[in-house]
Amino acid sequence: MPKTVPPALSRAHELLHQEMLGYLDEVELLTSEADTEDETILDVARTEVPRLVAAVRGMLRDHRADVFGLCLGCAPTWVDGHFAREPWPCPVVGGAHEYLRRPEKLYER
Ligand SMILES: [Zn+2]
């Protein structure tokens, strides 16, 4: 894996990141009791909650343990002269679990 990301690829990643964050901001706003009518909240929840659940399920499916208890989704890292893989549950699964349990923790940072 190259150490530097080409500028065009970096820009593509930035746009994708912004689009996803923009989508999440919009869903959050459209389901906010303070800013939105109940009927709109219900409509948005019906269409977007399944999409959000699918996103989390897909992420969890990718970050599952292999027969050795190591994460299949996390990229191996070079440690002390060999590739090492994350033990499961990896930081991605641990973070998702923590934010599902306590979503307010995301905004404490
Ligand atoms: Zn992982």
Side-chain angles (χ1 to χ4, degrees), residues 18-31 52:
Q18 288 174 356
E19 185 176 322
M20 287 182 66
L21 290 179
Y23 163 76
L24 294 172
D25 287 346
E26 196 65 24
V27 170
E28 197 169 41
L29 176 68
L30 289 172
T31 55
L52 294 167

Side-chain angles (χ1 to χ4, degrees), residues 27-90:
V27 170
E28 197 169 41
L29 176 68
L30 289 172
T31 55
S32 166
E33 287 184 53
D35 302 323
T36 311
E37 298 291 323
D38 286 350
E39 189 173 321
T40 301
I41 292 172
L42 188 58
D43 288 345
V44 172
R46 279 193 178 119
T47 61
E48 302 313 308
V49 168
R51 186 185 310 273
L52 294 167
V53 168
V56 174
R57 282 189 196 279
M59 184 274 301
L60 292 175
R61 185 182 60 201
D62 291 344
H63 288 267
R64 67 185 189 283
D66 67 8
V67 295
F68 303 106
L70 302 173
C71 182
L72 290 166
C74 286
T77 54
W78 190 254
V79 179
D80 296 331
H82 68 280
F83 280 109
R85 293 177 43 223
E86 286 286 341
W88 194 91
C90 66

